Every structure is written in structure tokens, then in C-alpha cells.
Amino acid sequence: MRAEWNPLRSLAGVARFVTWVFGLAALAIVIANVAALGWLPGSGANPTCVDVGGDVGPLREDARVAAGGGSVCVDNPTGTQRIADIGDQVPQALFALGALWLLLRFLRTASDAGPYEASVPGRLAALGWFVLVGGPVSELLFALSVHSLRTSMISGVPSTDWVAQWRAEFPWWALAAGLAALVFAHILRIGVRMPEAPARSGD
């Protein structure tokens, strides 16, 4: 007899593939940043650059405008600049990897045990909270890192520059997706409890 097609299992397979792709990409980003710090054998410190953003003010010592004029770089970055350079790349990659892993965990449980298995609502809620909070936080870390790099290379950068950066890149989709996941988790939790009602009323 032909097995019934389970769309959740297919989605879990897709999520597993995408998670591996993003995992390898995140690992490559981490290795690239560690190599840029000169912590790997045969690697050396590379220039650190940041997008100009608004109008370019007077450059600080050792800073230069990159080819094309869209970025400012330093060839011998300080430790603080290196940390800020990591902060504008790694948090977003880790957020994407974490969200995909939680999505995969939810889909695998729902496809194997059914959507009304007791642990499914909790796993969907975990995904919802992670996306709801993690999306804005990862973009906040990105905005603060970019602001730190700009102020270290350009004079006269407004102290509220990071607010404008965060507002411009704010992940509204993460709020919508996180809230939707939490609503569906609540609905699934009600569905899990429904079979218990007749049993209690018959006692």
C-alpha cells in the first residue's frame, strides 16, 4: 500500500537542507573573522571597513576612503575595531542558524508524532519567541557595531547614528513571524488539551 504523503516531513527535509547550508555559511563567516584577527596559522590582520552611511566627515588618523568612496577602512585595526567588525556579521548569521534549527526541530517533531503531540506547541512557541526577540536583537548588535566602527574612523558621527541604522534595518518580518508562531502555538496547545475534556467529563 502506498504510504500517505506527509507535507510536514517534506518541509522538515527542506528545513534540514537549508539549516546545513546556513550552518556551513555561519561557520565560514566565523572562520573568516578569526582568520582576520590573525589567530589562525598563516593568517594576518586584514583591513577593517565600514559603510560610510551619511555624509563623510573628517577621517580620523589611519582611516582612508576605500575605492569607490562607499566605505572607510583602516589597515591596522585595533582590537575594539576587530570586535566591532565581528559584531556586524556574526550575530545575524547565528540568528538565522538558530531560527532554522528551531524550525527544523518543530517540523521533525510534528511530522513524526503529529501536530497534536504534547511537545509540539512548546517547540513552536520557542521558535516564535526566538524570532520575536532574536531578530531585533541581532539587528541592534549590527547597528551598534556599525556605529562603533564609524565613530572610530570618522569624526562628527552623530551619537544617535545607531538608532537611525537600527530603524532602517529593523526586521519587522521577525515581529510578524514571531507573533504568528506564538498564536499558532496557542491554538495547537488548545488542540492538545481538547481530547482531555471528554475524558474528564466522563470521570
Side-chain angles (χ1 to χ4, degrees), residues 6 16 53 55 57 64 101 117 140 149 197 200:
N6 187 340
R16 184 182 297 107
D55 297 331
R64 60 177 175 81
W101 182 79
E117 201 274 333
L140 174 61
L149 287 174
R200 290 177 181 174

Side-chain angles (χ1 to χ4, degrees), residues 50 60 146-159 161:
V50 65
R60 297 190 185 276
V146 169
H147 175 71
S148 176
L149 287 174
R150 283 177 182 159
T151 55
S152 69
M153 300 182 198
I154 306 172
S155 300
V157 175
S159 60
D161 175 68

Side-chain angles (χ1 to χ4, degrees), residues 10-116:
S10 300
L11 288 174
V14 173
R16 184 182 297 107
F17 172 76
V18 176
T19 301
W20 272 104
V21 171
F22 269 80
L24 292 174
L27 180 62
I29 290 173
V30 172
I31 291 175
N33 278 276
V34 171
L37 290 170
W39 293 350
L40 295 180
S43 64
N46 297 321
T48 293
C49 300
V50 65
D51 291 339
V52 172
D55 297 331
V56 180
L59 299 184
R60 297 190 185 276
E61 186 179 359
D62 297 331
R64 60 177 175 81
V65 178
S71 301
V72 177
C73 304
V74 289
D75 294 318
N76 297 299
T78 64
T80 301
Q81 287 172 325
R82 280 298 181 194
I83 292 174
D85 191 33
I86 292 174
D88 74 355
Q89 300 178 59
V90 175
Q92 293 170 316
L94 294 181
F95 164 70
L97 181 60
L100 283 169
W101 182 79
L102 289 173
L103 174 62
L104 175 61
R105 188 180 70 154
F106 159 70
L107 289 174
R108 288 179 62 180
T109 303
S111 63
D112 293 341
Y116 294 108

Side-chain angles (χ1 to χ4, degrees), residues 131-146:
V131 172
L132 184 67
V133 177
V137 168
S138 65
E139 290 296 342
L140 174 61
L141 292 175
F142 170 78
L144 291 173
S145 297
V146 169

